[in-house]
Amino acid sequence: MWKSKVWNLTLLSTILRRRPTLLSISHFQSNSTSHFPPTISRTSYFDFLGNPNFPGKTFCSESAEKSHVHVRCWSCGNVANGSLFLFCDSCRSIQPLDQSVDYFQIFGLERKYDIGVENLEGKYKDWQKKLHPDLVHSKSEKERGFAAEQSARVIDAYCTLSKPLLRAIYIMRLEGVDVDEEETLSDPELLSEILEIREAVEEAADSQELNQIQSQMQEKLDHWSSSFANAFQCRKFEEALNSIRRMTYYHRVNEEIVKKL
Amino acid sequence: MAEPAYTVASDSETTGEDKSSSAFPEIAIGIDVGTSKCSVAVWNGSEVELLKNTRNQKMMRSYVTFKDDIPSGGVSNQLSHEHEMLSGAAIFNMKRLIGRVDTDPVVHSSKSLPFLVQTLDIGVRPFIAALVNNVWRSTTPEEVLAIFLVELKAMAEVQLKRPIRNVVLTIPVSFSRFQVTRIERACAMAGLHVLRLMPEPTAVALLYAQQQQQAVNENIGGASEKIALILNMGAGYCDVAVAATAGGVSQIKALAGSTVGGEDILQNMMRHLLPDSEILFSNHGINEIKSMGLLRVATQDAIYKLSSQTSVQIDVDLGNELKICKVVDREEFEEVNRKVFEKCESLIIQCLHDAKVETKDVADIIAVGGCSYIPKIRNLVMSICKRQELYKGMNPLEAAVCGAALEGAVASGISDPFGSLDLLTIQVTPLAIGIRVEENNFVPIIPRNTTMPTRKELAFTTVRDNQTEVLIVVYEGEGEKVGKNHLLGYFKIMGIPPAPKGLPEINVCMDIDASNVLRVLAGVVLPGSRHPAIPVMEVRMPTVDDGHGWCAEALDRTYGSALDLVTVQKKI
C-alpha cells in the first residue's frame, strides 16, 4: 500500500494539481501584500496514498524563522497571531496551503509519537467545519481552491496521525529520516517469522483461528509501537526504523487476515 | 494573468452551466425523487419546510402520464383512479431504469410493469414506451424524469415566488457514476442545476446531525460524538450508512446499498398470488395490462395492511375469468420475501463491519423510507443492533428530503443566527473505483468508503515482452470480476518503450476533487528514469455514453488480453 518512489507520485499529482497551482500563482502576482513566496503553492499537496511526503527538515527550520515574520490574511490583511494559519479568525477566509505547518501543528499537538488519538476526531471535525470545500461554495474560485487543498491536507493529517504506523513513519520523516517501505527483508530471523505467520494465516481453518492470529499481531504491534516510542524519544533512529519495519510486516499480516475474514 | 477571452464547458460536463454563484445566492431546494414517491423541501429562513402541491400533498407519486400530446406528471395530475396509472399510459419507477442497460436484471424485472420495457439483451439502453391511443409511444427514463422535474420546479416556483435553478438531489448509494450523469442530464433537461447529489442515508445523517446539535444547544444531550446507523429503504433501493456525528459535523463512516426494495416485495407477492403472472402479461395487450394493474393495486394494498394486521384477505377479479381469492398471513409474506430481508440484513452487517463499529457503540438506529413500516424490517435492524427501539425523532417519509433541503441551504452559503445551519457532511465514496487487469479481474484503486476528496495511486506493469500499449479500462463497483461492475470509461496508453514484461511501471492515479469530479491519470516510467517515458494521460470520467454494455464486449473482442496489465506485486 505504501510506495517509496515518491518522485513518481509527485510527478502525476503535480500534473493533476496544475489548475489550482496556476490560480494561486496568479493570485500572488496580483496581490503584492501577500507574504507567501509562490514556491509554497507550487509544492501544493502531494501527500496522498497515505504517503506523508513533505518538504523535509530544511523547510521546517525555515518555518521557525518565518514565524517571526507576521503572516497576513490574503483577504482582509489581518495579521495572524501564532504560526498556525489555515484559516483567518478575523474574516473567516481560508488561507493558501502552507506546507511548513506540520500535521502535529494542525492538531495543536506537541511533535511526539505518543499522542491521545481519542481527541483527534473532534479537532478534525472542527477544522473541516472551517475548511471543507462544501462550505465555501459561494466564495471565490480562488478560495474554493484553498479549501480543497486545506481540507484534503487535514484529512491526510487525520489519517496519518490516527494510525500508529503511519504516524511513526511521518514523525521520522519530520526528523529527516526517510523510511523505505518497499525494501527487501534482510533480517533472516524476521523473515522466517513472517513466513511462518503467513503460512498460518493461509492454512487457518476458520475465522476463530484468524481472529486469534489477529490478536497476536495486535499484541506485537502494540509492543513494537511502544519500543518505537522509546527509541524515537532517545533519538535512536536505527532502532526506531527497526520497529517501523516490524510494525509494517505485522500490519500487512493483519491486512491479509481482514481480506480473508 | 489575463482572463481567458471565453470559456467552454467541458464536454463531459452534463449540466453545461457555470458553477460560480452570484453575490446573493438563491437557496437551493432539496428534492427526493423516490422510485414511487417524491417530495420537495426548502429552508424557509428558520426551518425546513416541505412544499405541497395544489392538492395539498407533500408526497407526490413519481410518474408521468402520456395522454394525447401533453404528458403530465404526478405533481399536477389528478388521477381519477389508481388504475389510471396502470393503464399503460403512465411511466413510473424511472429511478430503477435510469442509466441501466438492457442486460441488467433490474431492467428485466421491470418488464412486468404495466407499460412497455423492451430489452434486446445486447447492452444498450432499454426501449421504454407508454400506450397513447393504442400506440406505444417511445420515451426514455431521462425524458420521463425531466418531465416530472419540470412539474416539481413549476410547483416550487409558484410557492416560493422566485425562479428555481439550484437543487440538491438525493440518490441511492448503489448508483454508479454513470447513473449519476444520467440524473444530472435529466436535471439539465428540466433547466435545473445540480448543486449536489447526496446518497439518501447521508441526507438523513445530516438531519440527524442537526437534531443532535439542537439537543446540545438546549442542553438535552452531551456534546460528545454519537454514532448512528441509518437504514433507508424505499420502493427501489435499500441503503445503509453509519455516521459519526459531533458538533453538527456528520462524518460518514461507511455506506452500503443495493437495488432491493418495495418493488421487489411487491413483485414477489404478485408472483406468489399468481405464479405464472409474468407469462400471462408478457404480450402487453390492453386486457393484460388492465389485469396486471388490478393485481398490482390489490397486492400493494395487501402489503400495506400486513404492516398493521397479521393476515389479510385478497379478493380481486382480474377479468378473463381470472380470480384471486386468498388469505395471506404475515409469516407467509415474510417467507415469500425472505431473500429481500436477508439482503437487507447483509447490507447492515457489511456497513457496520466496514465502519469498524461495534453494535454496542451505536447510539441511535434510524429506519426511514416506505419499507421501514414493515415490521420485519424494523425487527431485523433492531435485532442486529441488539436494541429494543428505533430513533423516534424523524418522519420516515420526510427525513431524506429534509436533509437534502438542509444541504441545499448550507451549500448555498446561507447561515442561520441560531446556528441551525452550522452543519457539514463529510462524504465517502459509496463504491470502489479501479481498473481491469489480467483475466478480467478488478483491482480497486480508490476503495469504497474513502473520505472525499481523495487521491490514490497504484502501480501496474505489462504482461508481455515488448508490450508497447496497454488498455486502461475503468470500472466502479464491488465485484472481483469486472463483469459485475459498472464501466466508466477506457483509454489506451501507447508508445511504451519496448522492455521485458514486468519492467515498465504504469502508474494509475485516481483523483476525486471537491466537486466530486473523477479524473484518471496514467503514466509510464522505466526503471532508472525519473521522468515519464511518454506524456501522462489525464481523462475525466465517466466517458462512456449510452449503450456502454456493448463497449466492454467490443473491447474484449477487439483486443482480447493483448493489451492487459497486472498489478506490481508487493515484496514480502
Side-chain angles (χ1 to χ4, degrees), chain A residues 1 5 7-9 11-13 16-17 19 48-49 121 124-125 128-129 133-135 137 155 182 195 249 252, chain B residues 195-196 225 244 247 249 251 410-411 422-424 455 457 505 507 511 514 521 525 529 532 536 538 570-572:
Chain A
M1 165 156 194
K5 290 168 192 143
W7 44 271
N8 262 346
L9 311 181
L11 214 57
L12 280 192
S13 49
L16 201 71
R17 285 286 152 174
R19 272 156 286 210
F48 53 106
L49 256 184
E121 177 132 1
Y124 161 70
K125 282 184 178 156
Q128 290 297 3
K129 254 182 116 165
D134 279 8
L135 300 176
H137 197 89
I155 293 176
E182 293 286 303
L195 286 174
Y249 287 107
R252 282 191 194 159
Chain B
L195 202 53
R196 200 148 299 157
E225 182 180 272
V249 181
Q251 163 82 58
V410 173
D422 226 355
L423 304 170
L424 170 68
R455 177 186 306 174
E457 176 160 338
E505 192 168 298
N507 285 304
D511 177 274
L521 279 93
V525 177
S529 166
V536 170
E538 180 187 325
K570 256 186 228 161
K571 290 175 212 151
I572 299 206

Short mmCIF file of all heavy atoms in Angstrom, two decimals, chain A residues 1 5 7-9 11-13 16-17 19 48-49 121 124-125 128-129 133-135 137 155 182 195 249 252, chain B residues 195-196 225 244 247 249 251 410-411 422-424 455 457 505 507 511 514 521 525 529 532 536 538 570-572:
data_model
loop_
_atom_site.label_atom_id
_atom_site.label_comp_id
_atom_site.label_asym_id
_atom_site.label_seq_id
_atom_site.Cartn_x
_atom_site.Cartn_y
_atom_site.Cartn_z
N MET A 1 0.82 -1.21 0.00
CA MET A 1 0.00 0.00 0.00
C MET A 1 0.86 1.27 0.00
O MET A 1 0.57 2.24 -0.67
CB MET A 1 -0.91 -0.04 1.21
CG MET A 1 -1.54 1.29 1.53
SD MET A 1 -3.02 1.07 2.45
CE MET A 1 -3.71 2.67 2.29
N LYS A 5 8.54 5.21 -3.99
CA LYS A 5 9.01 6.01 -5.12
C LYS A 5 8.25 7.31 -5.19
O LYS A 5 7.42 7.53 -6.06
CB LYS A 5 8.88 5.22 -6.40
CG LYS A 5 9.89 4.10 -6.42
CD LYS A 5 9.61 3.12 -7.51
CE LYS A 5 10.45 1.89 -7.32
NZ LYS A 5 9.74 0.69 -7.68
N TRP A 7 9.02 10.19 -6.00
CA TRP A 7 9.15 11.07 -7.17
C TRP A 7 8.12 10.76 -8.24
O TRP A 7 7.63 11.62 -8.92
CB TRP A 7 10.56 10.99 -7.73
CG TRP A 7 11.11 9.60 -7.83
CD1 TRP A 7 11.80 8.93 -6.86
CD2 TRP A 7 11.00 8.71 -8.93
NE1 TRP A 7 12.11 7.69 -7.30
CE2 TRP A 7 11.65 7.52 -8.56
CE3 TRP A 7 10.43 8.82 -10.21
CZ2 TRP A 7 11.72 6.43 -9.42
CZ3 TRP A 7 10.51 7.74 -11.05
CH2 TRP A 7 11.16 6.55 -10.65
N ASN A 8 7.78 9.51 -8.36
CA ASN A 8 6.76 9.13 -9.32
C ASN A 8 5.43 9.76 -9.00
O ASN A 8 4.77 10.34 -9.83
CB ASN A 8 6.52 7.62 -9.23
CG ASN A 8 7.27 6.90 -10.29
OD1 ASN A 8 7.74 7.54 -11.20
ND2 ASN A 8 7.39 5.62 -10.15
N LEU A 9 5.05 9.57 -7.75
CA LEU A 9 3.75 10.02 -7.31
C LEU A 9 3.67 11.53 -7.44
O LEU A 9 2.71 12.08 -7.90
CB LEU A 9 3.53 9.60 -5.86
CG LEU A 9 3.83 8.14 -5.58
CD1 LEU A 9 3.56 7.81 -4.14
CD2 LEU A 9 2.98 7.25 -6.48
N LEU A 11 5.14 13.36 -9.41
CA LEU A 11 5.02 13.72 -10.80
C LEU A 11 3.57 13.76 -11.26
O LEU A 11 3.09 14.75 -11.76
CB LEU A 11 5.77 12.66 -11.60
CG LEU A 11 6.46 13.15 -12.84
CD1 LEU A 11 7.43 14.25 -12.49
CD2 LEU A 11 7.21 11.98 -13.45
N LEU A 12 2.87 12.66 -11.06
CA LEU A 12 1.49 12.58 -11.54
C LEU A 12 0.62 13.60 -10.85
O LEU A 12 -0.18 14.27 -11.48
CB LEU A 12 0.92 11.18 -11.28
CG LEU A 12 1.32 10.10 -12.27
CD1 LEU A 12 0.46 8.88 -12.05
CD2 LEU A 12 1.17 10.57 -13.70
N SER A 13 0.79 13.72 -9.56
CA SER A 13 -0.10 14.62 -8.84
C SER A 13 0.20 16.07 -9.15
O SER A 13 -0.68 16.90 -9.12
CB SER A 13 -0.04 14.35 -7.35
OG SER A 13 1.30 14.31 -6.96
N LEU A 16 -1.76 16.88 -11.98
CA LEU A 16 -3.18 16.95 -11.67
C LEU A 16 -3.55 18.27 -11.01
O LEU A 16 -4.63 18.79 -11.21
CB LEU A 16 -3.55 15.80 -10.75
CG LEU A 16 -5.02 15.47 -10.74
CD1 LEU A 16 -5.37 14.84 -12.06
CD2 LEU A 16 -5.33 14.54 -9.61
N ARG A 17 -2.65 18.77 -10.20
CA ARG A 17 -2.99 19.99 -9.46
C ARG A 17 -2.62 21.25 -10.23
O ARG A 17 -2.51 22.32 -9.67
CB ARG A 17 -2.27 19.99 -8.10
CG ARG A 17 -2.90 19.04 -7.11
CD ARG A 17 -4.21 19.59 -6.59
NE ARG A 17 -5.05 18.47 -6.22
CZ ARG A 17 -6.21 18.60 -5.62
NH1 ARG A 17 -6.67 19.79 -5.31
NH2 ARG A 17 -6.91 17.55 -5.33
N ARG A 19 -4.12 23.16 -12.23
CA ARG A 19 -5.04 24.29 -12.23
C ARG A 19 -4.99 25.14 -10.95
O ARG A 19 -4.75 26.32 -11.03
CB ARG A 19 -6.45 23.83 -12.54
CG ARG A 19 -6.66 23.84 -14.02
CD ARG A 19 -7.73 22.89 -14.43
NE ARG A 19 -7.26 21.55 -14.33
CZ ARG A 19 -7.72 20.58 -15.12
NH1 ARG A 19 -8.65 20.81 -15.98
NH2 ARG A 19 -7.25 19.38 -15.02
N PHE A 48 -0.61 12.02 -0.95
CA PHE A 48 -1.75 11.14 -1.00
C PHE A 48 -1.22 9.75 -0.81
O PHE A 48 -0.05 9.58 -0.54
CB PHE A 48 -2.52 11.32 -2.30
CG PHE A 48 -1.69 11.18 -3.52
CD1 PHE A 48 -1.77 10.05 -4.29
CD2 PHE A 48 -0.81 12.18 -3.89
CE1 PHE A 48 -1.00 9.93 -5.42
CE2 PHE A 48 -0.05 12.05 -5.01
CZ PHE A 48 -0.13 10.92 -5.78
N LEU A 49 -2.05 8.75 -0.95
CA LEU A 49 -1.61 7.37 -0.80
C LEU A 49 -1.17 7.10 0.62
O LEU A 49 -0.40 6.22 0.86
CB LEU A 49 -0.38 7.12 -1.68
CG LEU A 49 -0.59 6.36 -2.95
CD1 LEU A 49 0.74 6.14 -3.59
CD2 LEU A 49 -1.23 5.03 -2.65
N GLU A 121 -10.40 13.15 16.45
CA GLU A 121 -11.60 13.25 15.64
C GLU A 121 -12.34 14.57 15.84
O GLU A 121 -12.79 15.20 14.90
CB GLU A 121 -12.53 12.05 15.91
CG GLU A 121 -13.83 12.16 15.14
CD GLU A 121 -14.23 10.88 14.41
OE1 GLU A 121 -13.50 9.87 14.52
OE2 GLU A 121 -15.26 10.92 13.74
N TYR A 124 -10.42 17.26 14.19
CA TYR A 124 -10.55 17.05 12.74
C TYR A 124 -11.87 17.64 12.24
O TYR A 124 -11.92 18.35 11.24
CB TYR A 124 -10.47 15.55 12.47
CG TYR A 124 -11.02 15.06 11.15
CD1 TYR A 124 -10.37 15.36 9.96
CD2 TYR A 124 -12.17 14.29 11.11
CE1 TYR A 124 -10.86 14.90 8.76
CE2 TYR A 124 -12.67 13.83 9.91
CZ TYR A 124 -12.03 14.13 8.74
OH TYR A 124 -12.53 13.67 7.56
N LYS A 125 -12.94 17.35 12.99
CA LYS A 125 -14.24 17.87 12.58
C LYS A 125 -14.31 19.39 12.71
O LYS A 125 -14.91 20.06 11.88
CB LYS A 125 -15.35 17.22 13.41
CG LYS A 125 -15.63 15.81 12.91
CD LYS A 125 -16.76 15.16 13.64
CE LYS A 125 -17.01 13.79 13.05
NZ LYS A 125 -17.66 12.88 13.96
N GLN A 128 -12.67 20.70 9.66
CA GLN A 128 -13.47 20.52 8.45
C GLN A 128 -14.63 21.52 8.42
O GLN A 128 -15.03 21.96 7.36
CB GLN A 128 -14.00 19.08 8.36
CG GLN A 128 -12.93 18.04 8.08
CD GLN A 128 -12.23 18.23 6.74
OE1 GLN A 128 -12.49 19.16 6.00
NE2 GLN A 128 -11.30 17.33 6.44
N LYS A 129 -15.11 21.88 9.59
CA LYS A 129 -16.22 22.84 9.62
C LYS A 129 -15.77 24.22 9.15
O LYS A 129 -16.57 25.04 8.75
CB LYS A 129 -16.79 22.94 11.03
CG LYS A 129 -18.12 22.26 11.14
CD LYS A 129 -18.68 22.40 12.51
CE LYS A 129 -19.96 23.19 12.50
NZ LYS A 129 -20.68 23.01 13.78
N PRO A 133 -14.51 22.17 1.51
CA PRO A 133 -14.93 22.86 0.29
C PRO A 133 -16.45 22.99 0.14
O PRO A 133 -16.94 23.93 -0.48
CB PRO A 133 -14.34 22.00 -0.84
CG PRO A 133 -13.75 20.79 -0.22
CD PRO A 133 -13.59 21.05 1.24
N ASP A 134 -17.19 22.08 0.75
CA ASP A 134 -18.65 22.17 0.66
C ASP A 134 -19.20 23.45 1.28
O ASP A 134 -20.30 23.88 0.98
CB ASP A 134 -19.30 20.99 1.40
CG ASP A 134 -19.31 19.74 0.54
OD1 ASP A 134 -18.69 19.79 -0.54
OD2 ASP A 134 -19.91 18.74 0.94
N LEU A 135 -18.43 23.99 2.21
CA LEU A 135 -18.95 25.14 2.96
C LEU A 135 -18.58 26.47 2.34
O LEU A 135 -19.00 27.51 2.80
CB LEU A 135 -18.45 25.09 4.41
CG LEU A 135 -18.85 23.83 5.18
CD1 LEU A 135 -18.23 23.84 6.55
CD2 LEU A 135 -20.36 23.75 5.29
N HIS A 137 -18.90 27.10 -0.98
CA HIS A 137 -19.43 27.01 -2.33
C HIS A 137 -19.66 28.38 -2.96
O HIS A 137 -19.46 28.59 -4.14
CB HIS A 137 -20.75 26.23 -2.29
CG HIS A 137 -21.15 25.76 -3.63
ND1 HIS A 137 -20.75 24.56 -4.13
CD2 HIS A 137 -21.88 26.37 -4.59
CE1 HIS A 137 -21.23 24.44 -5.35
NE2 HIS A 137 -21.93 25.51 -5.65
N ILE A 155 -7.52 15.97 6.10
CA ILE A 155 -7.90 14.54 6.05
C ILE A 155 -6.65 13.68 6.14
O ILE A 155 -6.58 12.73 6.92
CB ILE A 155 -8.68 14.21 4.74
CG1 ILE A 155 -10.03 14.92 4.72
CG2 ILE A 155 -8.88 12.69 4.59
CD1 ILE A 155 -10.82 14.73 3.43
N GLU A 182 9.41 -0.32 0.88
CA GLU A 182 9.44 -1.39 -0.11
C GLU A 182 10.76 -2.17 -0.06
O GLU A 182 11.01 -3.01 -0.90
CB GLU A 182 9.23 -0.82 -1.52
CG GLU A 182 7.84 -0.24 -1.72
CD GLU A 182 6.76 -1.31 -1.85
OE1 GLU A 182 6.88 -2.15 -2.74
OE2 GLU A 182 5.82 -1.29 -1.04
N LEU A 195 7.26 -15.44 7.38
CA LEU A 195 6.82 -16.53 6.51
C LEU A 195 5.96 -17.53 7.28
O LEU A 195 4.95 -18.02 6.77
CB LEU A 195 8.03 -17.23 5.88
CG LEU A 195 8.72 -16.44 4.77
CD1 LEU A 195 9.99 -17.16 4.31
CD2 LEU A 195 7.78 -16.21 3.58
N TYR A 249 5.40 -5.15 8.78
CA TYR A 249 5.11 -6.53 8.42
C TYR A 249 3.91 -7.09 9.19
O TYR A 249 3.07 -7.76 8.60
CB TYR A 249 6.36 -7.39 8.59
CG TYR A 249 7.34 -7.10 7.49
CD1 TYR A 249 8.50 -6.39 7.72
CD2 TYR A 249 7.03 -7.48 6.18
CE1 TYR A 249 9.36 -6.07 6.68
CE2 TYR A 249 7.88 -7.17 5.14
CZ TYR A 249 9.05 -6.47 5.39
OH TYR A 249 9.87 -6.15 4.37
N ARG A 252 0.81 -5.76 7.64
CA ARG A 252 0.44 -6.42 6.39
C ARG A 252 -0.23 -7.76 6.66
O ARG A 252 -1.17 -8.14 5.95
CB ARG A 252 1.68 -6.63 5.51
CG ARG A 252 2.07 -5.36 4.81
CD ARG A 252 3.10 -5.61 3.75
NE ARG A 252 3.68 -4.34 3.35
CZ ARG A 252 4.85 -4.22 2.76
NH1 ARG A 252 5.58 -5.31 2.51
NH2 ARG A 252 5.31 -3.04 2.42
N LEU B 195 -26.67 21.25 -7.62
CA LEU B 195 -25.65 21.78 -6.74
C LEU B 195 -24.93 20.63 -6.06
O LEU B 195 -23.72 20.67 -5.84
CB LEU B 195 -26.32 22.67 -5.68
CG LEU B 195 -25.48 23.71 -4.99
CD1 LEU B 195 -24.78 24.61 -5.99
CD2 LEU B 195 -26.35 24.54 -4.06
N ARG B 196 -25.67 19.62 -5.72
CA ARG B 196 -25.07 18.46 -5.08
C ARG B 196 -26.01 17.26 -5.17
O ARG B 196 -27.22 17.41 -5.15
CB ARG B 196 -24.82 18.79 -3.61
CG ARG B 196 -23.81 17.90 -2.96
CD ARG B 196 -23.05 18.64 -1.90
NE ARG B 196 -22.32 19.79 -2.44
CZ ARG B 196 -21.95 20.83 -1.72
NH1 ARG B 196 -22.26 20.89 -0.47
NH2 ARG B 196 -21.28 21.82 -2.27
N GLU B 225 -19.45 12.66 20.64
CA GLU B 225 -19.73 12.06 19.35
C GLU B 225 -20.79 10.96 19.47
O GLU B 225 -20.76 10.16 20.40
CB GLU B 225 -18.45 11.47 18.79
CG GLU B 225 -18.65 10.87 17.42
CD GLU B 225 -17.37 10.30 16.88
OE1 GLU B 225 -16.63 11.07 16.26
OE2 GLU B 225 -17.11 9.11 17.09
N ALA B 244 -20.79 9.17 12.11
CA ALA B 244 -20.35 9.64 13.42
C ALA B 244 -20.59 11.14 13.46
O ALA B 244 -20.07 11.88 12.63
CB ALA B 244 -18.88 9.32 13.63
N GLY B 247 -20.96 18.00 16.96
CA GLY B 247 -20.89 19.43 16.65
C GLY B 247 -21.45 19.81 15.29
O GLY B 247 -20.94 20.71 14.65
N VAL B 249 -21.23 18.21 12.63
CA VAL B 249 -20.48 17.58 11.53
C VAL B 249 -20.81 16.10 11.51
O VAL B 249 -20.71 15.41 12.52
CB VAL B 249 -18.96 17.76 11.69
CG1 VAL B 249 -18.22 17.13 10.52
CG2 VAL B 249 -18.61 19.22 11.82
N GLN B 251 -19.63 12.78 9.90
CA GLN B 251 -18.62 12.07 9.11
C GLN B 251 -19.21 10.71 8.75
O GLN B 251 -19.50 9.91 9.63
CB GLN B 251 -17.34 11.91 9.91
CG GLN B 251 -16.38 10.85 9.37
CD GLN B 251 -15.49 11.34 8.23
OE1 GLN B 251 -14.75 12.31 8.37
NE2 GLN B 251 -15.57 10.67 7.09
N VAL B 410 -27.06 24.97 3.24
CA VAL B 410 -25.64 25.04 3.61
C VAL B 410 -24.78 25.29 2.37
O VAL B 410 -23.94 26.18 2.35
CB VAL B 410 -25.18 23.74 4.31
CG1 VAL B 410 -23.68 23.75 4.54
CG2 VAL B 410 -25.91 23.55 5.64
N ALA B 411 -25.06 24.53 1.31
CA ALA B 411 -24.26 24.64 0.09
C ALA B 411 -24.50 25.97 -0.62
O ALA B 411 -23.66 26.42 -1.39
CB ALA B 411 -24.59 23.48 -0.85
N ASP B 422 -25.21 25.35 10.94
CA ASP B 422 -23.79 25.13 11.21
C ASP B 422 -23.49 23.65 11.02
O ASP B 422 -23.16 22.95 11.96
CB ASP B 422 -23.52 25.54 12.66
CG ASP B 422 -22.27 26.38 12.75
OD1 ASP B 422 -21.62 26.54 11.71
OD2 ASP B 422 -21.97 26.87 13.85
N LEU B 423 -23.65 23.20 9.78
CA LEU B 423 -23.63 21.76 9.52
C LEU B 423 -22.67 21.40 8.41
O LEU B 423 -22.34 22.22 7.57
CB LEU B 423 -25.03 21.28 9.09
CG LEU B 423 -26.19 21.58 10.04
CD1 LEU B 423 -27.49 21.27 9.33
CD2 LEU B 423 -26.06 20.74 11.29
N LEU B 424 -22.26 20.15 8.41
CA LEU B 424 -21.38 19.67 7.35
C LEU B 424 -21.47 18.15 7.28
O LEU B 424 -21.53 17.47 8.30
CB LEU B 424 -19.93 20.07 7.66
CG LEU B 424 -18.83 19.47 6.79
CD1 LEU B 424 -18.91 20.00 5.38
CD2 LEU B 424 -17.46 19.75 7.38
N ARG B 455 -7.30 11.07 -3.35
CA ARG B 455 -6.47 10.72 -4.50
C ARG B 455 -5.66 9.50 -4.13
O ARG B 455 -5.06 9.43 -3.06
CB ARG B 455 -5.54 11.87 -4.83
CG ARG B 455 -4.60 11.54 -5.96
CD ARG B 455 -3.62 12.62 -6.16
NE ARG B 455 -4.31 13.89 -6.34
CZ ARG B 455 -3.66 15.04 -6.42
NH1 ARG B 455 -2.37 15.07 -6.33
NH2 ARG B 455 -4.32 16.16 -6.57
N GLU B 457 -3.16 6.09 -5.78
CA GLU B 457 -2.39 5.67 -6.94
C GLU B 457 -1.88 4.25 -6.73
O GLU B 457 -1.58 3.84 -5.62
CB GLU B 457 -1.21 6.62 -7.12
CG GLU B 457 -0.28 6.21 -8.23
CD GLU B 457 0.58 7.34 -8.73
OE1 GLU B 457 0.21 8.52 -8.56
OE2 GLU B 457 1.62 7.06 -9.31
N GLU B 505 6.88 0.59 -15.43
CA GLU B 505 5.93 0.84 -14.35
C GLU B 505 4.84 1.77 -14.85
O GLU B 505 5.13 2.88 -15.30
CB GLU B 505 6.66 1.45 -13.15
CG GLU B 505 5.80 1.46 -11.91
CD GLU B 505 6.60 1.79 -10.66
OE1 GLU B 505 7.52 1.02 -10.31
OE2 GLU B 505 6.31 2.82 -10.05
N ASN B 507 1.83 3.80 -13.76
CA ASN B 507 1.16 4.34 -12.58
C ASN B 507 -0.20 4.87 -12.94
O ASN B 507 -0.34 5.68 -13.85
CB ASN B 507 2.00 5.46 -11.97
CG ASN B 507 3.19 4.92 -11.24
OD1 ASN B 507 3.05 4.10 -10.33
ND2 ASN B 507 4.38 5.32 -11.66
N ASP B 511 -8.28 10.59 -8.92
CA ASP B 511 -8.49 11.76 -8.07
C ASP B 511 -9.96 12.14 -8.10
O ASP B 511 -10.56 12.26 -9.16
CB ASP B 511 -7.64 12.92 -8.61
CG ASP B 511 -7.85 14.19 -7.83
OD1 ASP B 511 -8.80 14.94 -8.14
OD2 ASP B 511 -7.08 14.43 -6.89
N ALA B 514 -13.08 18.24 -4.95
CA ALA B 514 -14.11 18.73 -4.03
C ALA B 514 -15.49 18.74 -4.68
O ALA B 514 -16.50 18.64 -3.99
CB ALA B 514 -13.74 20.12 -3.55
N LEU B 521 -5.48 9.42 -14.14
CA LEU B 521 -4.21 9.74 -14.77
C LEU B 521 -3.40 8.46 -14.92
O LEU B 521 -3.42 7.61 -14.04
CB LEU B 521 -3.38 10.69 -13.91
CG LEU B 521 -3.72 12.17 -13.99
CD1 LEU B 521 -4.71 12.49 -12.90
CD2 LEU B 521 -2.47 12.99 -13.85
N VAL B 525 6.74 4.82 -16.44
CA VAL B 525 8.11 5.14 -16.02
C VAL B 525 8.95 3.89 -16.20
O VAL B 525 8.52 2.79 -15.83
CB VAL B 525 8.15 5.60 -14.55
CG1 VAL B 525 9.58 5.86 -14.11
CG2 VAL B 525 7.29 6.82 -14.34
N SER B 529 14.73 5.73 -14.51
CA SER B 529 14.39 7.05 -15.05
C SER B 529 13.62 7.82 -13.99
O SER B 529 12.97 7.24 -13.14
CB SER B 529 13.52 6.89 -16.30
OG SER B 529 12.93 8.12 -16.62
N PRO B 532 8.52 10.52 -16.79
CA PRO B 532 7.65 9.63 -17.54
C PRO B 532 8.20 9.44 -18.95
O PRO B 532 8.72 10.38 -19.55
CB PRO B 532 6.30 10.34 -17.56
CG PRO B 532 6.57 11.74 -17.18
CD PRO B 532 7.84 11.77 -16.41
N VAL B 536 1.89 11.93 -19.83
CA VAL B 536 0.88 11.32 -18.96
C VAL B 536 -0.51 11.58 -19.54
O VAL B 536 -0.76 12.64 -20.10
CB VAL B 536 1.02 11.91 -17.53
CG1 VAL B 536 -0.14 11.49 -16.66
CG2 VAL B 536 2.34 11.51 -16.92
N GLU B 538 -4.47 12.23 -18.95
CA GLU B 538 -5.42 12.65 -17.92
C GLU B 538 -6.82 12.59 -18.52
O GLU B 538 -7.09 13.24 -19.52
CB GLU B 538 -5.13 14.07 -17.43
CG GLU B 538 -6.12 14.51 -16.37
CD GLU B 538 -5.99 15.98 -15.96
OE1 GLU B 538 -4.88 16.51 -15.93
OE2 GLU B 538 -7.05 16.57 -15.67
N LYS B 570 3.66 -6.78 -4.35
CA LYS B 570 4.40 -6.30 -3.18
C LYS B 570 5.46 -7.31 -2.81
O LYS B 570 5.21 -8.50 -2.83
CB LYS B 570 3.45 -6.20 -2.00
CG LYS B 570 3.02 -4.81 -1.68
CD LYS B 570 2.20 -4.86 -0.41
CE LYS B 570 0.92 -4.08 -0.56
NZ LYS B 570 -0.07 -4.43 0.41
N LYS B 571 6.63 -6.83 -2.49
CA LYS B 571 7.64 -7.77 -1.99
C LYS B 571 7.27 -8.15 -0.57
O LYS B 571 6.62 -7.40 0.13
CB LYS B 571 9.01 -7.08 -1.96
CG LYS B 571 9.56 -6.82 -3.35
CD LYS B 571 10.83 -6.03 -3.22
CE LYS B 571 11.02 -5.10 -4.40
NZ LYS B 571 11.78 -3.93 -4.02
N ILE B 572 7.71 -9.33 -0.19
CA ILE B 572 7.41 -9.70 1.19
C ILE B 572 8.23 -8.82 2.12
O ILE B 572 9.39 -8.66 2.00
CB ILE B 572 7.85 -11.12 1.57
CG1 ILE B 572 7.27 -12.25 0.83
CG2 ILE B 572 7.36 -11.31 2.96
CD1 ILE B 572 7.35 -13.48 1.79
#
